[in-house]
């Protein structure tokens, strides 16, 4: 699997937290350069996700180490924190605007089982969507089930993108579709997020996307991948009648391939997944971050969108 390796700085930040993580990764504009209003990589907030087998035990240890990171929910204990994490939104608990090793950090905590379900079934396409784009892996254990689910998530993303593309297309067009999967129907793309976000993510990072998906595209019988030219051609008959047994998201997507309007069907399906989970997760942020941090964080997002709008109109 071609997920990225991490550097010393990220591991140093990870050392401030309980060790029991099955997967820890950093993502976003603080890790990979983006175009547009998020181009200031040096001062961008670093985004992390920590995947843990036992969230109650992890939060209990983290409360002892990092009590100040939590909102008023810390007064209700680790079991209540996990209940809010798991039962509302996309199954992830975020602590934003944390100063760590001289950098502003936001970190989310998700249970390993919840992440695996999202990777295989796209229940929320929230953390699974972030893992469809280049990330920096900071730590990962030898959990074969998790590693397999990470790989299947990437393969499903490729299949979904194929269904929304013509017979012949460029690498950049493919990566634009993949990067946009988890933003379909996301209300933050209308309020708070820069609308050209997908383009700003892909343009400076084509090489990283190629590293993430290159092996999958080379092996995929559904396309002819001319990597030197950065061009792909779909083999439509193979998509309609795939060899072997497909399961989970990929099986559903390949069934949709028989519909002449499959691209629109996929987009509607993605929107139906992403929109409710993005709304619930953002609403949950008021509880997990606290009102003050939520206002600051939201104003920063709106400021980025405003800068992007000014850039377009100037």
């Amino acid at each position: 699997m071609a997920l990225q390796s991490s550097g010393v700085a990220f591991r140093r930040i990870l050392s401030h937290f309980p060790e029991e993580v099955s997967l820890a990764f950093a993502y976003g504009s603080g890790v990979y350069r983006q175009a547009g209003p998020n181009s200031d990589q040096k001062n961008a907030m670093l985004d992390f996700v920590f995947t843990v087998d036992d969230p109650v035990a992890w939060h209990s240890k983290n409360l002892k180490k990092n009590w100040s990171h939590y909102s008023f929910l810390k007064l209700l204990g680790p079991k209540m924190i996990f209940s809010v994490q798991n039962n509302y939104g996309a199954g992830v608990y975020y602590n934003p605007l944390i100063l760590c090793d001289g950098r502003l950090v936001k970190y989310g905590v998700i249970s390993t089982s919840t992440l695996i379900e999202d990777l295989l079934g796209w229940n929320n396409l929230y953390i699974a969507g972030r893992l469809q784009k280049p990330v920096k892996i900071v730590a990962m254990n030898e959990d074969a089930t998790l590693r397999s689910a990470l790989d299947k998530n990437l393969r499903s993303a490729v299949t979904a993108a194929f269904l929304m593309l013509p017979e012949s297309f460029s690498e950049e067009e493919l990566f634009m579709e993949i990067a946009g999967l988890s933003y379909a129907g996301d209300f933050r793309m209308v309020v708070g997020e820069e609308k050209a976000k997908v383009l700003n993510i892909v343009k400076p990072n084509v090489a990283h996307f190629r590293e993430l998906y290159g092996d999958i595209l080379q092996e995929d019988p559904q396309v002819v991948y001319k990597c030197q030219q950065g061009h792909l051609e779909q083999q439509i008959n193979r998509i309609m009648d795939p060899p072997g047994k497909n399961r989970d998201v990929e099986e559903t997507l390949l069934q949709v391939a028989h519909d002449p309007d499959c691209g629109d069907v996929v987009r509607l399906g993605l929107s139906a997944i992403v929109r409710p989970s993005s709304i619930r997760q953002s609403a949950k942020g008021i509880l997990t971050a606290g009102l003050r941090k939520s206002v600051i964080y939201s104003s920063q997002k709106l400021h980025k969108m405003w800068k992007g709008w000014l850039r377009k109109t100037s």
Side-chain angles (χ1 to χ4, degrees), residues 13-27:
I13 289 173
L14 182 61
S15 71
H16 290 266
F17 300 93
E19 295 179 355
E20 298 80 2
V21 295
S22 56
L23 171 68
F25 66 89
Y27 66 96

Side-chain angles (χ1 to χ4, degrees), residues 231-303:
H231 193 79
L232 301 95
E233 293 177 5
Q234 296 200 59
Q235 309 296 297
I236 299 298
N237 61 318
R238 292 189 181 178
I239 294 179
M240 300 289 276
D241 187 23
K245 180 175 174 58
N246 296 280
R247 295 176 293 178
D248 306 314
V249 173
E250 196 170 9
E251 180 184 31
T252 304
L253 289 168
L254 289 166
Q255 289 172 350
V256 170
H258 294 272
D259 192 317
D261 299 316
C262 60
D264 292 333
V265 173
V266 171
R267 287 187 180 90
L268 283 171
L270 291 169
S271 181
I273 295 168
V274 172
R275 186 181 299 276
S277 70
S278 69
I279 292 172
R280 291 194 302 266
Q281 184 64 37
S282 293
K284 186 171 81 174
I286 298 172
L287 283 176
T288 61
L291 185 58
R292 179 176 170 275
K293 282 187 178 180
S294 295
V295 170
I296 294 170
Y297 184 68
S298 299
S299 66
Q300 289 176 346
K301 289 285 188 182
L302 288 167
H303 181 61

Side-chain angles (χ1 to χ4, degrees), residues 129 132-134 157 161 173-184 197-199 201-202 209 213:
Q132 290 164 357
K133 296 175 270 291
E173 287 172 318
L174 171 64
F175 299 149
M176 286 281 291
E177 288 292 352
I178 290 173
L181 293 176
S182 61
Y183 293 118
K197 187 175 181 71
V198 174
L199 180 64
I201 290 171
V202 173
F209 275 91
Y213 287 100

Side-chain angles (χ1 to χ4, degrees), residues 88-263:
Y88 303 96
V92 59
Y93 188 105
Y94 272 106
N95 282 327
L97 301 173
I98 305 299
L99 194 60
C100 189
D101 268 9
R103 290 295 299 268
L104 207 56
V105 168
K106 177 183 77 175
Y107 65 93
V109 183
I110 187 171
S111 75
T112 306
S113 59
T114 298
L115 176 60
I116 289 172
E117 288 173 6
D118 197 25
L119 292 168
L120 295 179
W122 288 6
N123 301 342
N124 299 296
L125 205 52
Y126 200 83
I127 302 303
R130 278 147 181 76
L131 286 162
Q132 290 164 357
K133 296 175 270 291
V135 302
K136 290 280 190 183
I137 299 295
V138 186
M140 182 159 57
N141 67 15
E142 297 301 317
D143 186 333
T145 303
L146 176 58
R147 287 173 178 263
S148 174
L150 288 164
D151 185 65
K152 285 187 177 181
N153 180 49
L154 298 180
R155 294 179 186 276
S156 295
V158 168
T159 300
F162 284 168
L163 295 176
M164 295 186 285
L165 286 162
E167 290 184 36
S168 180
F169 50 90
S170 69
E171 269 185 329
E172 188 171 302
E173 287 172 318
L174 171 64
F175 299 149
M176 286 281 291
E177 288 292 352
I178 290 173
L181 293 176
S182 61
Y183 293 118
D186 190 334
F187 85 103
R188 295 171 302 170
M189 296 299 282
V190 179
V191 180
E193 291 281 7
E194 161 66 12
K195 292 184 181 181
K197 187 175 181 71
V198 174
L199 180 64
N200 292 339
I201 290 171
V202 173
K203 272 283 188 185
N205 293 299
V206 169
H208 294 302
F209 275 91
R210 189 182 298 127
E211 187 174 353
L212 186 60
Y213 287 100
D215 289 346
I216 291 173
L217 295 173
Q218 292 280 12
E219 298 166 3
D220 199 321
Q222 299 174 11
V223 291
V224 174
Y225 178 33
K226 301 173 183 177
C227 53
Q228 296 298 323
Q229 294 91 351
H231 193 79
L232 301 95
E233 293 177 5
Q234 296 200 59
Q235 309 296 297
I236 299 298
N237 61 318
R238 292 189 181 178
I239 294 179
M240 300 289 276
D241 187 23
K245 180 175 174 58
N246 296 280
R247 295 176 293 178
D248 306 314
V249 173
E250 196 170 9
E251 180 184 31
T252 304
L253 289 168
L254 289 166
Q255 289 172 350
V256 170
H258 294 272
D259 192 317
D261 299 316
C262 60

